Amino acid sequence: MAAEGFRALNENTLVEYIKATPSLCSQLGNLENLQIKEVGDGNLNFVYIVTTSSGSLVIKQALPYIRCIGESWPMSKERAYFEAITLQKHGSWCPNHVPEVYHFDRVMSLIGMRYLAPPHIILRKGLIAGIEYPLLAEHMAEYMSRTLFHTSLLYNTTTVHRQEVAKYCGNLELCRLTEQVVFSDPYKESEYNRCTSPYLDNDALAVREDDELKLEVAELKAKFCEQAQALIHGDLHTGSVMATQDSTQVIDPEFAVYGPMGFDIGAFLGNLILAYFSQDGHADAANDRKAYKQWILKTIEDTWKLFEKKFTSLWVENKDGLGEAYLSSIYKDTVFSRAQEKYVKALFHDSLGFGAAKMIRRIVGVAHVEDFESIQDASVRAGCERQALDFAKKLLKKRRGFQSISEVVLAIKKVPS
Amino acid sequence: MAAEGFRALNENTLVEYIKATPSLCSQLGNLENLQIKEVGDGNLNFVYIVTTSSGSLVIKQALPYIRCIGESWPMSKERAYFEAITLQKHGSWCPNHVPEVYHFDRVMSLIGMRYLAPPHIILRKGLIAGIEYPLLAEHMAEYMSRTLFHTSLLYNTTTVHRQEVAKYCGNLELCRLTEQVVFSDPYKESEYNRCTSPYLDNDALAVREDDELKLEVAELKAKFCEQAQALIHGDLHTGSVMATQDSTQVIDPEFAVYGPMGFDIGAFLGNLILAYFSQDGHADAANDRKAYKQWILKTIEDTWKLFEKKFTSLWVENKDGLGEAYLSSIYKDTVFSRAQEKYVKALFHDSLGFGAAKMIRRIVGVAHVEDFESIQDASVRAGCERQALDFAKKLLKKRRGFQSISEVVLAIKKVPS
């Protein structure tokens, strides 16, 4: 897999690399007191925090296999290219919520980018700790509406769109991983699947034997594989967001592809719902988490409502622009409003479907979430997971029956503890 | 637009080209008595029939503009590349109904292919002449089922699929033409639109003011631009088929792209429905065309029924193959049958929608069909066209209400003459 010129760096060789790269040096200023710390806790890459007395940055290098599994699961390091160009593209539309890229080296699969300094933490860890983020819904709605709208045919010509689609077809290895772990493995026997056993063994079996569920999942998988609606992040769970009280930054778009918008929106909402159902497992004498659960539900509701508002506003602002899906000479006045309503309603149902699929795979598939994994008592954990799983199955099958996000939130609330 | 090495040939310079090209010479045998006749009656290209005493072939050269309009409407001659690779790909899956490619020269945008000798004629002309083709439904069902199935995710891995999708994204100029003339121009004022005036002026206006219709058309346009379901011909009307009593050959796939299967199926069925509604304009004392109209309806019904049968059979035969949309480890027994039913039903409704859109654009858009154009009496022609237009509008808006092709045929029959 080694391409000409590629070499895996370590903390020592990275120093030489930085010194030879002006775009990195200029971010760091004086290179005395250069400090490098490897912090990659993800599954796929090596990540270094680089600091000096006058600056900082992060270096992310992709290796040609999945880090947490090893060389037995090879994975194109070209994913760094797709991550870099997506950070740049999404960043151009939403610089407030996407870290700046300082440097990209395609041969080395290496990205130099903004270091998101403390108090930034991974949002998922914040949700586990019970931290409220008052601007989270606003920021994520802003990020999703701006990135998805501006990379869709609501904003672009089909010429630009088809050129971009062609480029991202190259990210097929990471798409294949999504296809397998989200849409296939949870619905069949797979060596990679796991669940909180023995508590959920029968629940996992029930998923594999649920014909209604499988028919719906096939429809979603087809959309993921066939529908080039917008440039999606492709992995927008709460572990791909770093947050503070006033900053929200979306990272790690290496799964980016032209796909259905609902896959991103659903990933984020679905992971908030997982966080909600995990809270009872984190409750203790000092904090029953009841108020926090309400905050999560409000965040779910606000995120969709603000997304819808911002997305349709962008559409109105740009209705006389170059976007070719709805020409203003055809869609004006009443029919324009009706077209918007119809589009957003379909997007809402897509988002619920994909969100539910993302929930299910986190409970009976290969990759679980820390929200549940950090609950020590397996029977308590299984109880929380079962609530989430049952709700997700219902949401996936009945998604077209929900007319609003408020109805979804109400349905979540009604799940008996 | 002139690329290095490209030159437009004529009947004289083509002789030299042929003599210098072994793959063409070998088809022609003895080059004495070489005869060349330019016969292109289409809109886009130059077509030459080349014969000798011992062989024959057709040479098709694309020029960098639309032939029938001239240099004022430029059009990538790379369309010849997409035509050639599609003839080869579709031909590999259905050699009985796709002419063989002997030679392709990308620089010259030139294809050398099988000459479909008389009595082959363009199917549309046969339908105008009232000729029955007893094998047409069987052959077209065979062509559509085999080409569409084998280029979809029912047969291929997503790896192969995304690579092929990327390649065909390059055919964006011809896709843009489709987007404009099928999905946009008929629904707005456009200098290119025309209709049988003054008879249909109000009908054309009604199309431009029909909000329900526009909402449905937007949905179809999005599918055409976004959904990479299979490698479609892209222009499968009855002018893209050459037929005899026992041979059916599909030509001219220069609009090929990865798109919704229903776009091909609908194009063919929609053009048969246009042929049906044109028959009253071709009736005379010798032939009232009543029996022929019944034959057309039977062909419509048989085409879909045979397509459905062949398509689902291919799926059953290949269910344990490499196709990744429905893994056999997930979709087995009852749920496999149910998945097939659901897939085919969606495909049926797509086909009706696209077929209706293709009908509408032939009556109020830029490019009309000879079925109607050859009716000399404008008021008679307008009457036939109005029947077709009204039916198409109903079909497009109510397509999801039709449960079978028999119901569609019944609805056609019920249109008052």
Coordinates of all heavy atoms in Angstrom, one line a residue, chain A residues 153 158-159 162-163 165-166 169 172 175-176 179 184 187-188 211-212 214-215 218-219 221 224-229 257 324-327 329-331 335 338-339 342, chain B residues 153 158-159 162-163 165-166 169 172 175-176 179 184 187-188 211-212 214-215 218-219 221 224-229 257 324-327 329-331 335 338-339 342:
Chain A
L153 N -28.0 20.8 -5.1 CA -28.5 21.4 -6.3 C -29.4 22.6 -6.1 O -29.9 23.2 -7.0 CB -29.2 20.3 -7.2 CG -28.2 19.4 -7.9 CD1 -28.9 18.2 -8.5 CD2 -27.4 20.1 -9.0
T158 N -25.9 21.8 -12.1 CA -25.6 20.3 -12.2 C -24.2 20.1 -12.8 O -23.7 19.0 -12.5 CB -26.7 19.6 -13.1 OG1 -26.7 20.3 -14.4 CG2 -28.1 19.7 -12.5
T159 N -23.7 21.0 -13.5 CA -22.3 20.9 -13.9 C -21.3 20.8 -12.7 O -20.5 19.8 -12.7 CB -21.9 22.1 -14.8 OG1 -22.8 22.2 -15.9 CG2 -20.5 22.0 -15.3
R162 N -22.1 17.4 -10.7 CA -21.6 16.2 -11.2 C -20.1 16.1 -11.1 O -19.5 15.0 -10.9 CB -22.1 15.9 -12.6 CG -23.6 15.7 -12.7 CD -24.0 15.1 -14.1 NE -25.4 15.1 -14.3 CZ -26.3 14.1 -14.0 NH1 -25.8 13.0 -13.4 NH2 -27.6 14.2 -14.2
Q163 N -19.4 17.2 -11.3 CA -17.9 17.2 -11.1 C -17.5 16.8 -9.7 O -16.6 16.0 -9.5 CB -17.3 18.5 -11.5 CG -17.4 18.8 -13.0 CD -17.1 20.3 -13.4 OE1 -17.3 21.1 -12.6 NE2 -16.8 20.5 -14.7
V165 N -19.4 15.3 -7.4 CA -19.8 13.9 -7.2 C -18.8 12.9 -7.7 O -18.4 12.0 -6.9 CB -21.2 13.6 -7.8 CG1 -21.5 12.1 -7.8 CG2 -22.3 14.4 -7.2
A166 N -18.3 13.1 -8.9 CA -17.3 12.2 -9.5 C -16.0 12.2 -8.6 O -15.5 11.1 -8.3 CB -16.9 12.7 -10.9
C169 N -16.6 10.1 -5.4 CA -16.8 8.7 -5.7 C -15.5 7.9 -5.3 O -15.5 6.7 -5.0 CB -17.1 8.4 -7.1 SG -18.9 8.7 -7.5
L172 N -14.5 5.6 -1.9 CA -15.4 4.4 -1.8 C -15.0 3.5 -0.7 O -15.9 2.8 -0.1 CB -15.5 3.7 -3.1 CG -14.2 3.2 -3.8 CD1 -13.9 1.8 -3.3 CD2 -14.4 3.2 -5.3
C175 N -16.8 4.7 2.4 CA -18.2 4.5 2.2 C -18.6 3.0 2.4 O -19.6 2.7 3.0 CB -18.7 4.9 0.8 SG -18.6 6.7 0.5
R176 N -17.7 2.1 1.9 CA -18.0 0.7 2.1 C -18.0 0.3 3.6 O -18.8 -0.5 4.0 CB -16.9 -0.2 1.4 CG -17.0 -0.1 -0.1 CD -15.9 -1.0 -0.7 NE -16.2 -2.4 -0.4 CZ -17.1 -3.2 -1.0 NH1 -18.0 -2.6 -1.8 NH2 -17.3 -4.4 -0.7
E179 N -21.4 1.3 4.8 CA -22.4 0.4 4.2 C -22.4 -0.9 5.1 O -23.5 -1.4 5.4 CB -22.1 0.1 2.8 CG -22.3 1.2 1.8 CD -21.4 1.2 0.6 OE1 -21.0 0.1 0.2 OE2 -21.1 2.3 0.0
S184 N -25.6 -3.2 7.1 CA -25.6 -4.6 6.8 C -25.3 -5.4 8.1 O -26.2 -6.2 8.5 CB -24.5 -5.0 5.8 OG -24.8 -4.4 4.5
Y187 N -27.9 -6.5 10.8 CA -29.1 -7.2 10.4 C -28.8 -8.7 10.0 O -29.6 -9.3 9.4 CB -29.8 -6.5 9.3 CG -30.1 -5.1 9.8 CD1 -29.2 -4.0 9.5 CD2 -31.2 -4.8 10.6 CE1 -29.4 -2.7 10.0 CE2 -31.4 -3.6 11.1 CZ -30.5 -2.5 10.8 OH -30.8 -1.3 11.4
K188 N -27.5 -9.1 10.3 CA -27.1 -10.5 10.0 C -26.1 -10.9 11.0 O -25.6 -10.1 11.8 CB -26.6 -10.6 8.6 CG -25.2 -9.9 8.4 CD -24.9 -9.9 6.9 CE -23.5 -9.4 6.6 NZ -22.4 -10.2 7.1
D211 N -38.4 -8.5 9.7 CA -38.5 -8.2 8.2 C -38.9 -6.8 7.9 O -38.4 -6.2 6.9 CB -39.5 -9.2 7.6 CG -39.0 -10.6 7.6 OD1 -37.8 -10.8 7.9 OD2 -39.7 -11.5 7.1
E212 N -39.8 -6.2 8.7 CA -40.2 -4.8 8.4 C -39.0 -3.9 8.5 O -38.8 -3.0 7.7 CB -41.2 -4.4 9.5 CG -42.6 -5.1 9.5 CD -43.3 -4.9 8.1 OE1 -43.1 -3.8 7.5 OE2 -44.0 -5.8 7.7
K214 N -35.9 -4.7 8.1 CA -34.9 -4.9 7.0 C -35.4 -4.3 5.7 O -34.5 -3.8 4.9 CB -34.8 -6.4 6.8 CG -34.0 -7.2 7.9 CD -34.0 -8.7 7.6 CE -33.3 -9.5 8.6 NZ -33.2 -10.9 8.2
L215 N -36.7 -4.3 5.5 CA -37.2 -3.6 4.3 C -36.9 -2.1 4.3 O -36.5 -1.5 3.3 CB -38.7 -3.9 4.1 CG -39.1 -5.4 3.8 CD1 -40.6 -5.5 3.8 CD2 -38.5 -5.8 2.4
A218 N -33.1 -1.5 3.8 CA -32.7 -1.6 2.4 C -33.0 -0.3 1.7 O -32.1 0.1 0.8 CB -33.5 -2.7 1.7
E219 N -34.1 0.3 2.0 CA -34.4 1.6 1.3 C -33.4 2.7 1.7 O -32.9 3.5 0.8 CB -35.8 2.0 1.8 CG -36.5 3.1 0.9 CD -37.9 3.3 1.4 OE1 -38.6 2.4 1.7 OE2 -38.3 4.5 1.3
K221 N -30.3 2.1 2.8 CA -29.0 1.8 2.2 C -28.9 2.2 0.7 O -27.9 2.7 0.3 CB -28.7 0.3 2.3 CG -27.4 -0.1 1.9 CD -27.1 -1.6 2.0 CE -25.7 -2.0 1.6 NZ -25.5 -3.5 1.8
F224 N -28.3 5.8 0.6 CA -26.9 6.1 0.9 C -26.0 5.9 -0.2 O -25.1 6.6 -0.5 CB -26.4 5.4 2.2 CG -25.0 5.7 2.5 CD1 -24.7 6.8 3.2 CD2 -24.0 4.8 2.2 CE1 -23.4 7.2 3.5 CE2 -22.7 5.1 2.4 CZ -22.4 6.3 3.1
C225 N -26.2 4.7 -0.9 CA -25.3 4.3 -2.0 C -25.6 5.0 -3.3 O -24.7 5.1 -4.2 CB -25.4 2.8 -2.3 SG -24.9 1.8 -0.9
E226 N -26.8 5.5 -3.5 CA -27.2 6.0 -4.8 C -27.5 7.5 -4.9 O -27.4 8.1 -6.0 CB -28.5 5.3 -5.3 CG -28.3 3.8 -5.6 CD -29.6 3.1 -5.9 OE1 -30.6 3.6 -5.7 OE2 -29.5 1.9 -6.3
Q227 N -27.9 8.1 -3.8 CA -28.4 9.5 -3.9 C -27.4 10.5 -3.5 O -27.0 10.7 -2.4 CB -29.6 9.7 -2.9 CG -30.3 11.0 -3.2 CD -31.3 11.3 -2.1 OE1 -31.4 10.7 -1.0 NE2 -32.2 12.3 -2.4
A228 N -26.9 11.2 -4.5 CA -25.9 12.3 -4.4 C -26.6 13.6 -4.2 O -26.6 14.5 -5.0 CB -25.0 12.3 -5.6
Q229 N -27.1 13.8 -2.9 CA -27.9 15.0 -2.7 C -27.0 16.2 -2.3 O -27.3 17.3 -2.7 CB -28.9 14.7 -1.6 CG -30.0 15.7 -1.4 CD -31.0 15.3 -0.4 OE1 -30.8 14.6 0.6 NE2 -32.3 15.8 -0.5
V257 N -18.8 12.3 1.5 CA -19.2 11.8 0.2 C -20.5 12.6 -0.2 O -21.1 13.2 0.6 CB -19.5 10.2 0.2 CG1 -20.8 10.0 1.0 CG2 -19.5 9.6 -1.2
E324 N -29.9 24.6 -9.7 CA -30.8 24.2 -10.8 C -31.9 23.3 -10.4 O -32.7 22.8 -11.3 CB -29.9 23.6 -11.9 CG -29.0 24.7 -12.5 CD -28.3 24.2 -13.7 OE1 -27.6 23.2 -13.6 OE2 -28.3 24.9 -14.8
A325 N -32.0 22.9 -9.2 CA -33.1 22.0 -8.8 C -34.5 22.6 -8.9 O -35.4 22.0 -9.4 CB -32.9 21.5 -7.4
Y326 N -34.6 23.9 -8.5 CA -35.9 24.6 -8.6 C -35.6 26.0 -9.2 O -35.3 26.9 -8.5 CB -36.4 24.8 -7.2 CG -36.8 23.5 -6.5 CD1 -35.8 22.7 -5.9 CD2 -38.1 23.0 -6.5 CE1 -36.2 21.5 -5.3 CE2 -38.5 21.8 -5.9 CZ -37.5 21.1 -5.3 OH -37.8 19.8 -4.7
L327 N -35.8 26.0 -10.5 CA -35.5 27.3 -11.2 C -36.6 28.3 -10.8 O -37.8 28.0 -10.7 CB -35.6 27.1 -12.7 CG -34.6 26.1 -13.3 CD1 -34.8 26.0 -14.8 CD2 -33.2 26.4 -13.0
S329 N -37.9 30.6 -12.3 CA -38.9 30.9 -13.4 C -40.0 29.9 -13.4 O -41.1 30.1 -13.9 CB -38.2 30.9 -14.8 OG -37.3 29.8 -14.9
I330 N -39.8 28.8 -12.7 CA -40.8 27.8 -12.6 C -41.5 27.8 -11.2 O -42.7 27.7 -11.1 CB -40.3 26.3 -12.9 CG1 -39.6 26.3 -14.2 CG2 -41.4 25.3 -12.7 CD1 -38.9 25.0 -14.6
Y331 N -40.6 27.9 -10.2 CA -41.1 27.8 -8.8 C -41.1 29.1 -8.1 O -40.1 29.6 -7.6 CB -40.2 26.8 -8.0 CG -40.3 25.4 -8.6 CD1 -39.4 25.0 -9.6 CD2 -41.3 24.5 -8.3 CE1 -39.5 23.8 -10.3 CE2 -41.5 23.3 -9.0 CZ -40.5 22.9 -9.9 OH -40.7 21.7 -10.6
V335 N -46.2 28.0 -5.2 CA -45.6 26.7 -5.5 C -44.1 26.6 -5.0 O -43.7 25.5 -4.6 CB -45.6 26.3 -7.0 CG1 -44.7 27.2 -7.8 CG2 -45.4 24.9 -7.3
R338 N -44.6 25.6 -1.4 CA -45.1 24.2 -1.3 C -43.9 23.3 -1.6 O -43.8 22.2 -1.0 CB -46.2 24.0 -2.3 CG -47.5 24.7 -1.8 CD -48.7 24.3 -2.7 NE -49.0 22.9 -2.8 CZ -49.7 22.3 -3.7 NH1 -50.3 23.1 -4.7 NH2 -50.0 21.0 -3.7
A339 N -43.1 23.7 -2.6 CA -41.9 22.9 -2.9 C -41.0 22.8 -1.7 O -40.4 21.7 -1.4 CB -41.2 23.5 -4.1
K342 N -42.5 20.4 0.9 CA -42.4 19.0 0.5 C -40.9 18.5 0.7 O -40.7 17.4 1.2 CB -42.8 18.9 -1.0 CG -42.8 17.5 -1.5 CD -43.3 17.4 -2.9 CE -43.1 16.0 -3.5 NZ -43.7 15.9 -4.9
Chain B
L153 N -26.8 -1.9 -8.3 CA -26.2 -2.5 -7.1 C -26.9 -3.9 -6.7 O -26.5 -4.5 -5.8 CB -26.3 -1.5 -5.9 CG -25.3 -0.4 -6.0 CD1 -25.7 0.7 -5.0 CD2 -23.9 -0.9 -5.7
T158 N -20.5 -2.0 -4.5 CA -20.5 -0.5 -4.5 C -19.1 0.0 -5.0 O -19.1 1.1 -5.4 CB -20.7 0.0 -3.0 OG1 -19.8 -0.5 -2.1 CG2 -22.1 -0.4 -2.6
T159 N -18.1 -0.8 -4.9 CA -16.8 -0.4 -5.4 C -16.9 -0.1 -6.9 O -16.6 0.9 -7.4 CB -15.7 -1.4 -5.1 OG1 -15.6 -1.6 -3.7 CG2 -14.3 -1.0 -5.6
R162 N -19.4 2.8 -7.7 CA -19.0 4.2 -7.6 C -17.9 4.6 -8.6 O -17.9 5.7 -9.1 CB -18.4 4.4 -6.2 CG -19.5 4.4 -5.1 CD -19.0 5.0 -3.7 NE -19.9 4.7 -2.6 CZ -20.9 5.5 -2.3 NH1 -21.1 6.7 -2.9 NH2 -21.7 5.2 -1.3
Q163 N -17.1 3.6 -9.0 CA -16.1 3.9 -10.1 C -16.8 4.2 -11.4 O -16.5 5.1 -12.1 CB -15.2 2.7 -10.3 CG -14.2 2.5 -9.2 CD -13.5 1.2 -9.1 OE1 -14.0 0.2 -9.8 NE2 -12.4 1.1 -8.4
V165 N -20.0 5.2 -11.8 CA -20.7 6.5 -11.6 C -19.8 7.7 -11.9 O -20.2 8.6 -12.6 CB -21.3 6.6 -10.2 CG1 -21.9 8.0 -9.9 CG2 -22.5 5.6 -10.0
A166 N -18.6 7.6 -11.3 CA -17.6 8.7 -11.4 C -17.3 9.0 -12.9 O -17.3 10.1 -13.4 CB -16.4 8.4 -10.7
C169 N -20.2 10.7 -14.8 CA -20.5 12.1 -14.4 C -19.9 13.0 -15.4 O -20.4 14.1 -15.6 CB -19.8 12.4 -13.0 SG -20.7 11.8 -11.6
L172 N -21.8 15.2 -18.5 CA -22.8 16.2 -17.9 C -23.4 17.1 -18.9 O -24.5 17.6 -18.7 CB -22.1 17.0 -16.8 CG -20.8 17.7 -17.1 CD1 -21.1 19.1 -17.5 CD2 -19.9 17.8 -15.8
C175 N -26.5 15.4 -20.1 CA -27.4 15.4 -19.0 C -28.1 16.7 -18.8 O -29.3 16.8 -18.6 CB -26.7 15.0 -17.7 SG -26.2 13.2 -17.7
R176 N -27.3 17.8 -19.0 CA -27.9 19.1 -18.9 C -29.0 19.4 -19.9 O -30.0 20.0 -19.6 CB -26.8 20.2 -19.0 CG -25.9 20.3 -17.8 CD -24.9 21.4 -17.9 NE -25.5 22.7 -17.9 CZ -26.0 23.3 -16.8 NH1 -25.9 22.6 -15.7 NH2 -26.5 24.4 -16.9
E179 N -32.0 17.7 -18.6 CA -32.6 18.4 -17.5 C -33.4 19.6 -18.0 O -34.5 19.9 -17.5 CB -31.5 18.9 -16.6 CG -30.8 17.8 -15.8 CD -29.3 18.1 -15.5 OE1 -28.9 19.3 -15.4 OE2 -28.6 17.1 -15.3
S184 N -37.4 21.1 -17.3 CA -37.5 22.6 -17.0 C -38.4 23.3 -18.1 O -39.4 23.9 -17.8 CB -36.1 23.2 -16.9 OG -35.4 22.7 -15.8
Y187 N -42.2 23.7 -18.4 CA -42.9 24.2 -17.2 C -42.7 25.7 -17.0 O -43.0 26.3 -16.0 CB -42.5 23.4 -16.0 CG -42.8 22.0 -16.2 CD1 -41.8 21.1 -16.7 CD2 -44.1 21.5 -16.1 CE1 -42.1 19.8 -17.0 CE2 -44.4 20.2 -16.5 CZ -43.4 19.3 -16.9 OH -43.7 18.0 -17.2
K188 N -42.1 26.4 -18.1 CA -41.8 27.8 -18.0 C -41.8 28.4 -19.4 O -41.8 27.6 -20.4 CB -40.5 28.1 -17.3 CG -39.3 27.7 -18.1 CD -38.0 27.9 -17.2 CE -36.7 27.6 -18.0 NZ -36.4 28.7 -19.0
D211 N -49.5 23.8 -10.5 CA -48.5 23.7 -9.4 C -48.3 22.2 -9.0 O -47.2 21.8 -8.6 CB -49.1 24.5 -8.2 CG -48.9 26.0 -8.4 OD1 -48.3 26.4 -9.4 OD2 -49.3 26.7 -7.5
E212 N -49.4 21.4 -9.0 CA -49.3 20.0 -8.6 C -48.3 19.3 -9.5 O -47.5 18.5 -9.1 CB -50.7 19.3 -8.8 CG -51.8 19.7 -7.8 CD -51.4 19.5 -6.4 OE1 -50.7 18.5 -6.1 OE2 -51.8 20.3 -5.5
K214 N -45.9 20.7 -11.3 CA -44.5 21.2 -11.0 C -43.9 20.5 -9.8 O -42.7 20.3 -9.8 CB -44.6 22.7 -10.9 CG -44.9 23.5 -12.1 CD -44.9 24.9 -11.8 CE -45.2 25.8 -13.0 NZ -45.1 27.2 -12.6
L215 N -44.7 20.3 -8.8 CA -44.1 19.7 -7.6 C -43.7 18.2 -7.9 O -42.6 17.8 -7.4 CB -45.2 19.7 -6.4 CG -45.5 21.0 -5.8 CD1 -46.6 20.9 -4.8 CD2 -44.3 21.6 -5.2
A218 N -40.5 18.3 -10.0 CA -39.3 18.6 -9.2 C -38.7 17.3 -8.6 O -37.5 17.1 -8.6 CB -39.6 19.6 -8.2
E219 N -39.6 16.5 -8.1 CA -39.2 15.2 -7.5 C -38.5 14.3 -8.6 O -37.5 13.7 -8.3 CB -40.5 14.5 -7.0 CG -40.2 13.5 -6.0 CD -41.5 12.9 -5.4 OE1 -42.4 13.7 -5.1 OE2 -41.6 11.7 -5.2
K221 N -37.1 15.4 -11.4 CA -35.8 16.0 -11.8 C -34.7 15.7 -10.8 O -33.6 15.4 -11.1 CB -36.0 17.5 -11.9 CG -34.7 18.2 -12.5 CD -35.0 19.7 -12.6 CE -33.7 20.4 -13.2 NZ -33.9 21.9 -13.4
F224 N -33.5 12.3 -11.3 CA -32.6 12.2 -12.5 C -31.2 12.7 -12.2 O -30.2 12.2 -12.6 CB -33.3 13.0 -13.7 CG -32.4 12.9 -14.9 CD1 -32.4 11.8 -15.7 CD2 -31.5 13.9 -15.2 CE1 -31.5 11.7 -16.8 CE2 -30.7 13.9 -16.3 CZ -30.7 12.7 -17.1
C225 N -31.2 13.8 -11.5 CA -29.9 14.5 -11.2 C -29.1 13.8 -10.1 O -27.9 13.9 -10.0 CB -30.1 15.9 -10.8 SG -30.8 16.9 -12.2
E226 N -29.8 13.1 -9.2 CA -29.1 12.7 -7.9 C -29.0 11.2 -7.8 O -28.1 10.7 -7.1 CB -29.8 13.2 -6.7 CG -29.8 14.7 -6.5 CD -30.7 15.2 -5.4 OE1 -31.5 14.4 -4.9 OE2 -30.5 16.4 -5.1
Q227 N -29.9 10.4 -8.4 CA -30.0 9.0 -8.1 C -29.2 8.1 -9.1 O -29.7 7.9 -10.3 CB -31.5 8.5 -8.0 CG -31.6 7.1 -7.5 CD -33.0 6.5 -7.6 OE1 -33.8 7.0 -8.4 NE2 -33.2 5.4 -7.0
A228 N -28.1 7.6 -8.7 CA -27.3 6.8 -9.6 C -27.7 5.3 -9.4 O -27.0 4.5 -8.8 CB -25.8 7.0 -9.3
Q229 N -28.8 4.9 -10.0 CA -29.4 3.6 -9.7 C -28.8 2.5 -10.7 O -28.5 1.4 -10.3 CB -30.9 3.6 -9.9 CG -31.6 2.4 -9.4 CD -33.1 2.5 -9.4 OE1 -33.7 3.3 -10.3 NE2 -33.8 1.8 -8.6
V257 N -26.0 7.7 -18.7 CA -25.5 8.2 -17.4 C -26.0 7.2 -16.3 O -26.9 6.4 -16.6 CB -26.0 9.6 -17.1 CG1 -27.5 9.6 -16.8 CG2 -25.2 10.3 -16.0
E324 N -24.5 -5.7 -3.8 CA -24.4 -5.4 -2.4 C -25.7 -4.7 -1.9 O -25.7 -4.4 -0.7 CB -23.2 -4.6 -2.1 CG -21.9 -5.4 -2.3 CD -20.7 -4.7 -1.8 OE1 -20.5 -3.6 -2.3 OE2 -19.9 -5.3 -1.0
A325 N -26.7 -4.5 -2.7 CA -27.9 -3.8 -2.2 C -28.7 -4.7 -1.2 O -29.1 -4.2 -0.2 CB -28.8 -3.4 -3.4
Y326 N -28.8 -5.9 -1.6 CA -29.6 -6.9 -0.8 C -28.7 -8.1 -0.5 O -28.7 -9.1 -1.3 CB -30.9 -7.3 -1.4 CG -31.8 -6.1 -1.6 CD1 -31.7 -5.2 -2.7 CD2 -32.9 -5.9 -0.7 CE1 -32.5 -4.1 -2.8 CE2 -33.7 -4.8 -0.8 CZ -33.5 -3.9 -1.9 OH -34.4 -2.8 -2.0
L327 N -27.9 -8.1 0.5 CA -27.1 -9.3 0.8 C -28.0 -10.5 1.1 O -28.9 -10.4 1.9 CB -26.2 -9.0 2.0 CG -25.3 -7.8 1.9 CD1 -24.4 -7.6 3.2 CD2 -24.4 -7.8 0.7
S329 N -27.4 -12.9 3.0 CA -27.4 -13.3 4.4 C -28.4 -12.5 5.2 O -28.8 -12.9 6.3 CB -26.0 -13.1 5.0 OG -25.5 -11.8 4.6
I330 N -28.9 -11.4 4.6 CA -30.0 -10.6 5.3 C -31.3 -10.8 4.7 O -32.3 -11.0 5.4 CB -29.6 -9.1 5.2 CG1 -28.3 -8.8 5.8 CG2 -30.7 -8.3 5.9 CD1 -27.8 -7.4 5.7
Y331 N -31.4 -10.9 3.3 CA -32.7 -10.9 2.6 C -32.8 -12.3 2.0 O -32.4 -12.6 0.9 CB -32.7 -9.8 1.5 CG -32.6 -8.5 2.2 CD1 -31.4 -7.8 2.3 CD2 -33.7 -7.8 2.7 CE1 -31.3 -6.6 3.0 CE2 -33.6 -6.6 3.3 CZ -32.4 -6.0 3.5 OH -32.3 -4.8 4.1
V335 N -38.7 -12.3 3.2 CA -38.3 -10.9 3.2 C -37.6 -10.6 1.8 O -37.7 -9.5 1.3 CB -37.4 -10.5 4.4 CG1 -36.0 -11.1 4.3 CG2 -37.3 -9.0 4.5
R338 N -40.5 -10.0 -0.5 CA -41.1 -8.7 -0.2 C -40.3 -7.6 -0.6 O -40.7 -6.5 -1.1 CB -41.4 -8.6 1.4 CG -42.5 -9.6 1.8 CD -42.8 -9.4 3.3 NE -43.3 -8.0 3.6 CZ -43.3 -7.5 4.9 NH1 -42.9 -8.3 5.9 NH2 -43.8 -6.3 5.1
A339 N -38.9 -7.7 -0.5 CA -38.0 -6.7 -0.9 C -38.1 -6.5 -2.4 O -38.1 -5.4 -3.0 CB -36.6 -7.1 -0.5
K342 N -41.4 -4.7 -3.3 CA -41.3 -3.2 -2.9 C -40.4 -2.5 -3.9 O -40.8 -1.4 -4.4 CB -40.7 -3.1 -1.5 CG -40.6 -1.7 -1.0 CD -40.0 -1.6 0.4 CE -39.7 -0.2 0.8 NZ -39.3 -0.1 2.2

